[in-house]
Structures are given as C-alpha cells and as structure tokens.
Amino acid sequence: MIILKIGGSVITNKSKKETFKQKTMDEISEVLAKTKKEFIIVHGAGSFGHILAKRYDLNSGYKNYDQIKGFSLTHEKVQQLNSMVLKSLQKKSIPAVSISPHSILRLNNHELEKMNVEVFEEYIEKNFVPVTFGDVVLDKKLGFSICSGDLLIQILSKYFKPDKVVFAIDEDGLFTANPKIDKKAKLIQETNLEKLKNISTKKDLHADVTGGMQGKINTIKNISKLGINTILVNGNKPDRLYKALSGEKTKCTIIYGEKNE
Amino acid sequence: MIILKIGGSVITNKSKKETFKQKTMDEISEVLAKTKKEFIIVHGAGSFGHILAKRYDLNSGYKNYDQIKGFSLTHEKVQQLNSMVLKSLQKKSIPAVSISPHSILRLNNHELEKMNVEVFEEYIEKNFVPVTFGDVVLDKKLGFSICSGDLLIQILSKYFKPDKVVFAIDEDGLFTANPKIDKKAKLIQETNLEKLKNISTKKDLHADVTGGMQGKINTIKNISKLGINTILVNGNKPDRLYKALSGEKTKCTIIYGEKNE
C-alpha cells in the first residue's frame, strides 16, 4: 500500500481564495487509475482552508464565539474541496470514500489524542480508496485546532506501515537551497535521516512554497524512523508521479527509511 | 435539546435527480436561527441518494464490484447535498458541523452495531449544531447498506433524550387516510403509542409521499417508548415549523411519548 499526500498547493491556488486546479487533479487521478495500487490519499486544504483558518485564528484554539462560526465555515469549504477531489477520482473509476478528520479524531494541544484508524482499514478491505484531508478538528486542551495533512500522514504511516509515502508537491523535490530565489540550488536526489538532520538546520532550504519546511522535514523524519521510504515528487508532472508511485526512476527526492538492524 | 429531521422530500425534489430546494431550506434555516434552541439536525438524502442507491442496489449489500463504485458515487452526492444544507444554515449564522455516518458508524444487517455518538456531544458542548444525514455505511454482515435518517433519529434520541423530536415532512402531519387520494382523510392532531398500534395496520395511511410509512411509524413508536414527544409538521410552512419547535399550537400531529409510571 502507498500513502499519497497531494499538496494543497498542487490542487489549489494557495494565494487565491477557493481556486481548484481541476486539470492538475484530473491528471493525478488518471495516474492513480493507471498505477493500480492500494492507496490512502491525503490532500491538503490549500486556499479552501488556510485563508479562513488564519482569519479566525483557529489553530491557536478557542478564544471567542466568532471562531465557532469560523470553524463551521472552514470545515464546509474544505468539504467542498474534498467533494471536487472525490469527483475527479470517480471520473477515473476510483472508488474513493471520504473520511473527515473532524468526525473521527481529536487532538490534545496539537497532538493526536484519539483517532478511529480502523475505519480506513474497513474501507480498504472492501477495495475502496479512503480519502482524508487537512481539517479543523476538536482539541481537548485548546477546544479546537487544525489537523494538517502532514500529521495525518504520520498517524496513518505508523498504523499501516505502507510500502512508501509519496508527497506530490509543487516543486521537483527537496533542494539544497530555495530554488525560487537561489540559482545554485540543487535537487537532492537521495538522502536519509542522518543527512536530513543537518539539512533541517539550513534556514533557506525549500521544499514547498507555502507549507512550513521545518514541519515537512519533521514529518519525513518521523516516517523515516518507521523504516519507510518517502518520495517527494512534482505533482504537476504526471509522468514523474506515475514513475515515483510505480518504483521507476524519475526526477524526485527519495528519503530512505531508517534500517533497524 | 431538539432533534430535528428535515425530510429528503422537503429539501429535494425526490423524483428529479439532484434538485435542491434552496428556498425551502433557507426558510428552515431562518426558523432555526429564530428559535434559538439547542439542535441536532438530521436530513434525508432525497434525490441525491435514493436514485443512485437504488440503481446500485446498495441496501441489500455487496454482490459485485460495481456496487463499490456505486457506494462511492452515492456518498459523494449526499455529501454535496450536505454541503448545501450547511451553507444555508451558515448564512443564518448557525455554526453547523457535518458528521458523516459512513465515517462514524457501522451497521450489522441493517441494525446498529457501533457508532461514535460522543462526537455529537463534544460539538454540542462547544455550541456547534451537529448535522448528520441518511448515508451509505459499512455493514458487518452485508458489507455495506444504508443508514436512513430515521434510524439516526432513533439512535440519537436514545442517547440524548431530547425534549422532543420534530419531523419536518412534506405534508401537514399524519392522516387517517392518504390525503392525496382520499378527500375524507383527516389530520390526526394528537395521538399516542397505543393508538398508533392500530393506525399502523391501515395500508392507505399516509405521512410522507415517498418515505416508507411503516418505517416512519416504527421510528415514532420507538421514540415514543423513550417517553419523548414526536411532532410531524409541514416543512414547507415556516410559521408552523417555528411554532412546533417553540412549543406553540399549530397545525401538525403530536405523538405523545409513553409515560413510564
């Protein structure tokens, strides 16, 4: 089984409110249909979630009643995005089933308190493709907070021990510097946990234009510790995504899982 | 607290694929905002669910892989309807949060096996209004089946013991005969469990044009046994709905809960 994260910046225009990149998503769906593997899909909320979540300051928890309305509005927008993702997958005959984090998990001060992971298992057993996403959720300490797609990836990786985790991101992979501002930036083709430890200290390192780089590195480290390989690949390039999912060589970054010997 | 069931035939045109009655729903949202009570809302799937569920024969369980795609398509359509309900409620500043049955409950041969009811409680405590709906769900014996809004009402009533259960339906209430074909049909203004026992044997009795009458009577009986009053009121008449929710006299049918003395 493969856990695939589709970055919010791949399928939405992150700087523009609620702009779904239909063509990009349709290409990804086509790749998945062609790949014929067992998948769990996690997608980011992109501009459907982040803008409202920021406006209502939802990630720092409950402060006023207005945020309750903000939470409601945000989860509805993210559900809208999820519906578009589902429809795109269905067009390619992928039997996608949506699992909403706000209904099945609770955090405690941003960390997982409890989650019904079994429901993913039940759908997979029946040949469905579970689709989950970054969402607003209840938080025991804070009232509510945000459960990012990256946190979901970590929880699901721990439980399902997938063959690999693939991040379809908005760039070619992990670079030695920010490729958008530094022409000398080089794509890191292969790395591992040990090397990542040094990498993460560099401030200008860049993997995703809008997502927190440090957060992504931490996610990858946690996956790597489970002995699972992570691949960062450009989600806008269907041929590369197909190869990354199929285990063929392509332009991307592979972070090898730690071998426990 | 009040549990409100909004009939699928009230907010969709049941005979026409995916036709949402926006104006009717907006009027209901306005009534709820004015009522200022604690609510759980359950809505039917109407033409967003029933047509596909029937085409793929989803309620009788797994027979072939095609149904897996049918399940996926159906839950996505119902999610679309749910998004429209949420948006209508939000326009009236109601902080609605969607809880999808297919993520939080499992049936066993059409009967409840397990359900995360606590999640409703957690949202209510934080002043949200949980919104759930008739949905396709996993079924231990059958693979999958359908969880109707009426079944949800029974489960939630048992757990939350609401002050009353209100069904917003597509007619004025419960009649002595089918009012659409029998001019002598009279609205039953008040009744109770004992009288319902006789009523349910009449075949031409009519409460909902498309929903199963026997099923609805059984639901009401089960609520009544919990000692809770049920009100059937026309969901197309905002003034009646408002009065029914507020405890004022109006045209409707009241089924009194059984007193346990």
Side-chain angles (χ1 to χ4, degrees):
Chain A
M1 181 224 279
I2 297 173
I3 297 182
L4 170 65
K5 163 81 193 287
I6 306 174
S9 51
V10 174
I11 53 168
T12 78
N13 183 335
K14 271 205 170 178
S15 60
K16 233 170 128 187
K17 207 175 134 189
E18 295 150 46
T19 323
F20 182 57
K21 294 185 187 167
Q22 185 74 55
K23 191 173 158 276
T24 309
M25 184 62 223
D26 286 349
E27 284 170 352
I28 293 173
S29 298
E30 201 169 348
V31 166
L32 297 185
K34 213 169 66 174
T35 311
K36 291 191 181 86
K37 301 224 183 226
E38 207 172 84
F39 283 108
I40 293 178
I41 297 171
V42 181
H43 66 78
S47 56
F48 286 75
H50 295 203
I51 296 172
L52 274 172
K54 200 174 168 189
R55 184 190 305 161
Y56 287 95
D57 194 17
L58 297 179
N59 201 30
S60 44
Y62 183 81
K63 283 179 216 113
N64 57 64
Y65 179 73
D66 217 38
Q67 289 175 304
I68 298 291
K69 285 190 252 179
F71 181 110
S72 170
L73 290 168
T74 307
H75 103 288
E76 188 277 318
K77 289 280 174 245
V78 176
Q79 181 167 304
Q80 260 184 62
L81 172 63
N82 175 252
S83 288
M84 291 189 266
V85 171
L86 289 175
K87 266 190 273 190
S88 173
L89 292 164
Q90 289 171 343
K91 274 193 284 181
K92 304 297 169 190
S93 291
I94 297 170
V97 171
S98 167
I99 312 283
S100 307
H102 74 266
S103 298
I104 58 146
L105 75 79
R106 192 167 68 183
L107 299 182
N108 186 9
N109 203 19
H110 303 293
E111 286 183 7
L112 183 68
E113 196 210 20
K114 59 171 186 178
M115 175 171 175
N116 178 10
V117 189
E118 296 79 10
V119 68
F120 287 85
E121 208 162 13
E122 292 176 42
Y123 280 108
I124 291 167
E125 272 171 18
K126 296 194 161 54
N127 296 310
F128 289 103
V129 175
V131 179
T132 189
F133 46 85
D135 198 3
V136 282
V137 295
L138 293 170
D139 187 302
K140 195 179 175 183
K141 187 179 172 198
L142 304 171
F144 46 72
S145 60
I146 289 169
C147 179
S148 68
D150 280 10
L151 179 55
L152 290 166
I153 292 279
Q154 291 176 58
I155 300 165
L156 293 167
S157 295
K158 206 168 169 180
Y159 190 86
F160 287 103
K161 303 269 161 43
D163 302 323
K164 58 187 160 195
V165 174
V166 176
F167 286 83
I169 62 172
D170 203 28
E171 289 196 16
D172 291 340
L174 198 60
F175 285 83
T176 53
N178 185 340
K180 294 250 196 307
I181 53 170
D182 188 343
K183 281 190 176 173
K184 286 182 207 149
K186 274 186 188 163
L187 182 72
I188 301 166
Q189 291 186 294
E190 299 186 328
T191 185
N192 59 28
L193 189 60
E194 200 51 48
K195 288 180 197 158
L196 265 189
K197 279 179 188 160
N198 308 320
I199 283 175
S200 66
T201 55
K202 288 194 193 175
K203 272 196 180 153
D204 59 351
L205 191 88
H206 205 80
D208 185 357
V209 195
T210 45
M213 181 55 208
Q214 190 57 51
K216 176 105 40 234
I217 293 272
N218 281 338
T219 300
I220 295 167
K221 278 183 187 169
N222 287 333
I223 299 166
S224 186
K225 280 178 199 161
L226 298 166
I228 300 162
N229 294 351
T230 303
I231 301 179
L232 302 184
V233 62
N234 196 323
N236 304 299
K237 310 279 181 187
D239 53 323
R240 292 188 203 166
L241 179 61
Y242 177 76
K243 285 179 179 162
L245 293 168
S246 308
E248 296 174 32
K249 271 209 154 185
T250 188
K251 190 173 189 176
C252 65
T253 300
I254 302 179
I255 303 101
Y256 291 106
E258 204 167 45
K259 298 267 183 297
N260 295 311
E261 285 161 80
Chain B
M1 183 223 279
I2 298 172
I3 297 183
L4 170 67
K5 164 82 193 287
I6 306 173
S9 51
V10 173
I11 52 167
T12 78
N13 184 334
K14 270 206 170 177
S15 59
K16 233 172 130 188
K17 208 175 132 187
E18 296 152 46
T19 323
F20 181 57
K21 294 185 187 167
Q22 184 74 55
K23 191 174 157 275
T24 309
M25 184 62 222
D26 286 348
E27 283 170 352
I28 294 173
S29 299
E30 201 169 347
V31 165
L32 297 185
K34 212 170 67 174
T35 310
K36 293 192 181 86
K37 302 223 184 228
E38 206 171 82
F39 283 106
I40 293 178
I41 298 171
V42 180
H43 65 79
S47 56
F48 287 74
H50 295 201
I51 297 172
L52 275 171
K54 201 174 168 188
R55 184 189 304 160
Y56 288 96
D57 194 16
L58 297 180
N59 202 29
S60 46
Y62 183 80
K63 285 178 213 111
N64 57 65
Y65 179 73
D66 217 36
Q67 290 176 302
I68 298 290
K69 283 189 252 179
F71 182 112
S72 171
L73 290 169
T74 307
H75 103 286
E76 188 276 318
K77 289 279 175 244
V78 176
Q79 181 168 305
Q80 260 183 62
L81 172 62
N82 176 251
S83 287
M84 289 188 268
V85 171
L86 290 176
K87 264 190 274 191
S88 173
L89 292 165
Q90 290 170 344
K91 273 193 283 181
K92 305 295 170 190
S93 291
I94 296 170
V97 171
S98 167
I99 313 285
S100 307
H102 74 267
S103 298
I104 58 145
L105 76 82
R106 192 166 70 182
L107 299 181
N108 186 9
N109 202 20
H110 303 293
E111 286 182 9
L112 183 68
E113 196 208 21
K114 60 171 183 177
M115 174 170 175
N116 177 11
V117 190
E118 296 79 9
V119 69
F120 287 85
E121 208 162 14
E122 292 176 43
Y123 279 109
I124 290 167
E125 272 170 19
K126 295 193 162 55
N127 297 309
F128 288 103
V129 175
V131 179
T132 189
F133 46 86
D135 199 4
V136 283
V137 295
L138 293 171
D139 186 303
K140 195 180 175 183
K141 189 180 173 199
L142 304 170
F144 45 72
S145 62
I146 288 168
C147 179
S148 67
D150 281 9
L151 179 55
L152 290 166
I153 291 281
Q154 292 176 57
I155 299 164
L156 293 168
S157 296
K158 206 167 168 180
Y159 189 86
F160 286 104
K161 306 268 162 42
D163 301 322
K164 58 189 162 195
V165 175
V166 176
F167 286 83
I169 62 173
D170 203 27
E171 290 196 16
D172 291 341
L174 200 60
F175 285 83
T176 53
N178 186 338
K180 294 247 191 321
I181 54 172
D182 188 342
K183 281 191 175 172
K184 285 183 208 149
K186 274 186 188 163
L187 182 72
I188 300 166
Q189 290 185 294
E190 299 186 326
T191 186
N192 60 29
L193 189 60
E194 200 51 48
K195 289 179 196 158
L196 266 189
K197 278 179 189 160
N198 308 320
I199 284 174
S200 66
T201 55
K202 290 194 194 176
K203 272 195 181 155
D204 58 352
L205 190 89
H206 206 79
D208 185 357
V209 195
T210 45
M213 180 55 209
Q214 191 57 52
K216 175 103 41 230
I217 292 273
N218 281 339
T219 300
I220 295 168
K221 278 183 187 169
N222 287 332
I223 298 166
S224 186
K225 280 177 198 162
L226 298 167
I228 299 162
N229 295 350
T230 304
I231 301 178
L232 302 184
V233 61
N234 197 324
N236 304 299
K237 310 279 183 189
D239 52 325
R240 292 188 203 165
L241 179 61
Y242 177 74
K243 284 180 181 164
L245 293 169
S246 308
E248 296 174 31
K249 271 209 155 187
T250 188
K251 192 172 190 177
C252 66
T253 300
I254 302 178
I255 302 102
Y256 291 105
E258 205 169 44
K259 297 270 182 297
N260 295 310
E261 285 160 77

